[in-house]
Amino acid sequence: MSTERTSYYQAGETRAENVRTLFDRIARKYDLINDVQSAGMHRVWKKWLWKLSQPKPGAKVLDLCCGTGDIAFFFAHQGCVVTGADFSTEMLKVARERSASDCRGKIAPEFLQADVLQLPFEDESFEIITIGYGLRNLADFDAGLKEMTRVLKPGGQLLILEFGKPDNSILRAAYYSYLNLAVPLFGLIFCGDMKAYAYILESLKHYPAQRGILEMLDGLGYAENRIENFMGGTMSINRAVKPG
Ligand SMILES: C[S@@+](CC[C@H](N)C(=O)[O-])C[C@H]1O[C@@H](n2cnc3c(N)ncnc32)[C@H](O)[C@@H]1O
């Protein structure tokens, strides 16, 4: 697939602005398309972030690229004190609207507008940082990981949920075909925007995926650095602990 297929993927200085425009544009349909394209499975993978981190009640959690808030709400329901951060005004609007209905009797997450590459938090502020389907979108993965490391407490956990790259070549070909053909079609049907969903495969091709991220976390000195693969590695979570 050539880069012309989606105008939303551009390397360089315009990358962040294109990504923000994309998510502002699809915000109202984002949750629906997530359910359709993953047959609801994204909820299961997001739940794994909690299963793997096992936070204590009251733990301070930062959910980056929080979008409409799925992961933030999930950790809040488990009794964590959650901050969700995202740079898309429209995605945050949906998250804040959901707060009233999704947080009955629990402490609602605080949602704020922020760029992952310049987080407005003091060093070592959070015990857990999650980022779901966000890292792949950053203009600079290394700078993003360093910024996360800065605001994570020593002994804290970093959990990265993303599309993966399966080792099995047949599975990888089938999965790339799905992302190349079916997913943009869902984008067209439900959102009137094929290019927004062709972006997923394009951005995945430029993303180092689970193994590359593992190496980058090793390089940053993380411990207990491991990969949890789902569905043959088409989805994955990198989990690592910042040394105390
Ligand atoms: C695919 S959505 C993921 C939303 C949510 N985490 C989920 O799993 O449903 C990616 C989100 O990352 C946000 N994003 C991308 N780059 C960002 C950046 N540099 N800083 C903050 N948010 C960013 C987008 O605005 C978008 O809401």
Side-chain angles (χ1 to χ4, degrees), residues 135 141 145 158 160 207-229 236-241:
L135 187 58
F141 310 130
L145 290 174
L158 174 60
I160 301 163
Y207 178 66
Q210 56 267 61
R211 287 182 192 277
I213 296 301
L214 183 110
E215 281 173 24
M216 290 172 85
L217 293 173
D218 266 344
L220 289 169
Y222 276 84
E224 299 177 41
N225 197 355
R226 67 185 172 97
I227 297 169
E228 194 77 36
N229 277 324
S236 72
I237 294 175
N238 285 87
R239 178 189 171 273
V241 175

Side-chain angles (χ1 to χ4, degrees), residues 46-197:
K46 287 169 179 169
K47 207 173 203 176
W48 268 94
L49 293 169
W50 171 75
K51 281 191 186 163
L52 290 171
S53 56
Q54 292 293 312
K56 293 192 183 118
K60 279 188 78 182
V61 176
L62 174 63
D63 180 38
L64 293 171
C65 297
C66 65
T68 58
D70 276 354
I71 297 166
F73 288 124
F74 191 78
F75 277 81
H77 287 171
Q78 309 306 320
C80 299
V81 178
V82 186
T83 303
D86 199 290
F87 70 6
S88 158
T89 311
E90 298 303 318
M91 293 291 269
L92 286 171
K93 264 189 205 163
V94 178
R96 288 176 182 135
E97 285 166 17
R98 284 178 61 187
S99 265
S101 54
D102 279 31
C103 278
R104 297 166 301 270
K106 301 282 178 189
I107 304 172
E110 181 192 8
F111 289 110
L112 57 88
Q113 191 157 27
D115 188 328
V116 171
L117 300 181
Q118 278 183 305
L119 291 171
F121 307 113
E122 310 242 311
D123 295 356
E124 304 182 358
S125 298
F126 297 94
E127 285 145 58
I128 294 176
I129 297 180
T130 54
I131 178 165
Y133 305 108
L135 187 58
R136 173 179 43 87
N137 294 301
L138 301 188
D140 184 337
F141 310 130
D142 188 50
L145 290 174
K146 284 186 175 142
E147 190 60 348
M148 292 173 214
T149 307
R150 181 183 71 75
V151 301
L152 187 59
K153 288 188 177 178
Q157 302 180 59
L158 174 60
L159 295 111
I160 301 163
L161 169 64
E162 257 306 346
F163 289 92
K165 290 184 182 168
D167 290 335
N168 182 294
S169 57
I170 296 170
L171 177 61
R172 192 167 57 242
Y175 161 63
Y176 280 16
S177 298
Y178 179 74
L179 292 177
N180 190 29
L181 300 170
V183 169
L185 191 62
F186 295 144
L188 182 65
I189 294 168
F190 293 102
C191 219
D193 192 341
M194 198 166 197
K195 287 181 179 175
Y197 280 82

